[in-house]
Amino acid sequence: MAALKAGQAGGGDKRGMQSAALLVVRKNGGYLGANDRFIDIRVYDARDPIAELERLLALHKLHFFPSEPKDLMPLTPALVARLEPILLAEPANQPEKWLKRKQGSATPEFLEALKNFMYWENYDVRVRMDGKVDRVVVDDIFKKRQG
């Protein structure tokens, strides 16, 4: 991203900006090690393709990069209390919800509900069952449900 921004700052393409791409290859670096495309993101038609590529890269990292140890935090009763209303109400338009009743703490039932919710929301590589949760995921969950 820094190289793309520097290139644009240095004059960029004479034809103007319309597209941008980022390809990072790493042996078995693709999803579940199925291929070598660690990052493969393309923007074909946008007013600010570098900004759009940066937005898509952030989403890619959220959904395909594992948790960083510094981002792990305990599932405290206070955090459980904030997550429970979501697990009790979702998935929307489904008769069966992730959680059947309040738990008050990170019980096995709560952890299972959170795991299923996280898979549903495509946080697959950040799912944990050890009483911790990824702060980046928690921030994204609450951001999506604010308004």
Side-chain angles (χ1 to χ4, degrees), residues 4 37 67 74 83 95 97 115 134 138-139 141 145:
L4 285 171
R37 290 182 309 275
S67 300
L83 289 167
K97 303 306 177 189
K115 176 187 82 171
D134 189 312
V138 169
D139 290 348
I141 290 168
R145 286 159 179 81

Side-chain angles (χ1 to χ4, degrees), residues 36-60:
D36 295 339
R37 290 182 309 275
F38 183 60
I39 300 172
D40 188 358
I41 305 170
R42 299 156 196 277
V43 175
Y44 291 104
D45 187 22
R47 286 180 189 230
D48 190 344
I50 295 174
E52 179 63 5
L53 188 67
E54 198 164 35
R55 184 186 76 79
L56 294 174
L57 178 60
L59 286 173
H60 181 84

Side-chain angles (χ1 to χ4, degrees), residues 85-98 117 120-121 145:
I86 295 166
L87 299 177
L88 289 163
E90 293 184 23
N93 304 317
Q94 299 289 323
E96 198 123 343
K97 303 306 177 189
W98 301 122
F117 165 80
W120 180 275
E121 295 288 319
R145 286 159 179 81

Side-chain angles (χ1 to χ4, degrees), residues 16-121:
M17 288 195 303
Q18 183 177 359
S19 64
L22 180 62
L23 175 63
V24 179
V25 177
R26 181 181 293 167
K27 184 168 178 61
N28 300 319
Y31 186 68
L32 300 176
N35 58 56
D36 295 339
R37 290 182 309 275
F38 183 60
I39 300 172
D40 188 358
I41 305 170
R42 299 156 196 277
V43 175
Y44 291 104
D45 187 22
R47 286 180 189 230
D48 190 344
I50 295 174
E52 179 63 5
L53 188 67
E54 198 164 35
R55 184 186 76 79
L56 294 174
L57 178 60
L59 286 173
H60 181 84
K61 287 178 178 179
L62 174 66
H63 294 291
F64 295 107
F65 282 29
S67 300
E68 294 284 336
K70 67 178 176 48
D71 291 327
L72 298 178
M73 60 187 200
L75 274 165
T76 63
L79 183 54
V80 168
R82 290 187 66 203
L83 289 167
E84 277 182 329
I86 295 166
L87 299 177
L88 289 163
E90 293 184 23
N93 304 317
Q94 299 289 323
E96 198 123 343
K97 303 306 177 189
W98 301 122
L99 196 58
K100 293 182 182 4
R101 64 185 180 287
K102 284 187 174 187
Q103 301 294 300
S105 65
T107 64
E109 187 177 342
F110 177 86
L111 291 173
E112 184 69 19
L114 183 61
K115 176 187 82 171
N116 292 332
F117 165 80
M118 287 178 67
Y119 279 127
W120 180 275
E121 295 288 319

